[in-house]
Amino acid sequence: MTAGEPTGLITAAPYTTDVSGPRHDGLTQHPTPGPHNSLFPWPDAKHPLRVMVNYVVILVCRISPSLRLKNWLLSRLGVTVGDGVAWGLESTPDVFWPELITVEDHAIIGYDATLLCHEFLQDEYRTGEVVVGERAMIGAGAIVLPGVEIGAGAQVAANSLVADDVPPETTVAGVPAEPLGEDDAATDGT
């Protein structure tokens, strides 16, 4: 490795953070100077009043049984919501940057699933878009990290952690979520 060549790692003693890989390519890094972790100065990242409004609207959406109301309210926050999108009860879009979320036509976001567009780390915070493709399904309790795209027709199993893009028409499961093979799908049905 030559001097000045990127390594894919950020080092800030005593931490080294890997920022290589497909998900990380879609993230914007925001260094935060000072002695505290990056969450401490969060009001510098997003205006507190905006976060409070987002939180209240998302709280209403989490408990509302009306899909039309959820879609309308979330679109007012900047979420791109396609036709026929279904948000399960308690599902949570990102409170800080909901405008970075796109959910395409007829996708399903399951009960208590979370779509995150930010991650606060020790020396920086990162933001990235989350895209849920047409007719994709995200299972109950799943968490989708920033910078991830769920392909059209893809399925995310319940309680999975999606840290990488999911190709179209693929089923993923686990922590971290990985594609299920044909053998896995056959044994799941027994």
Side-chain angles (χ1 to χ4, degrees):
M1 183 167 294
T2 62
E5 184 177 328
T7 64
L9 298 176
I10 291 179
T11 303
Y15 304 101
T16 300
T17 305
D18 184 2
V19 291
S20 60
R23 178 175 79 89
H24 293 99
D25 294 342
L27 296 179
T28 303
Q29 297 171 264
H30 310 270
T32 52
H36 302 292
N37 64 56
S38 67
L39 184 54
F40 194 81
W42 74 263
D44 295 334
K46 197 72 165 193
H47 195 281
L49 185 57
R50 176 79 265 166
V51 174
M52 289 170 42
V53 168
N54 290 353
Y55 182 82
V56 169
V57 171
I58 289 170
L59 183 60
V60 169
C61 291
R62 285 175 50 91
I63 62 173
S64 173
S66 171
L67 298 178
R68 286 190 178 123
L69 177 62
K70 289 180 190 191
N71 288 339
W72 184 81
L73 286 171
L74 292 173
S75 68
R76 302 287 80 75
L77 293 182
V79 177
T80 301
V81 181
D83 291 333
V85 169
W87 298 84
L89 286 172
E90 301 292 333
S91 60
T92 307
D94 192 276
V95 172
F96 279 84
W97 286 276
E99 66 274 11
L100 295 178
I101 297 173
T102 298
V103 183
E104 296 177 355
D105 296 349
H106 307 291
I108 297 171
I109 312 300
Y111 174 83
D112 200 29
T114 304
L115 306 180
L116 292 173
C117 296
H118 75 279
E119 47 193 18
F120 286 104
L121 305 171
Q122 286 297 325
D123 298 311
E124 68 180 11
Y125 69 93
R126 300 176 189 164
T127 57
E129 293 183 31
V130 168
V131 177
V132 179
E134 186 174 343
R135 300 189 67 78
M137 298 188 325
I138 298 176
I143 298 173
V144 178
L145 295 180
V148 167
E149 182 172 346
I150 311 285
Q155 299 178 0
V156 175
N159 294 316
S160 295
L161 174 66
V162 185
D164 291 309
D165 291 349
V166 178
E169 303 295 333
T170 301
T171 300
V172 297
V175 178
E178 295 183 3
L180 293 179
E182 289 180 25
D183 293 339
D184 295 328
T187 59
D188 282 348
T190 58

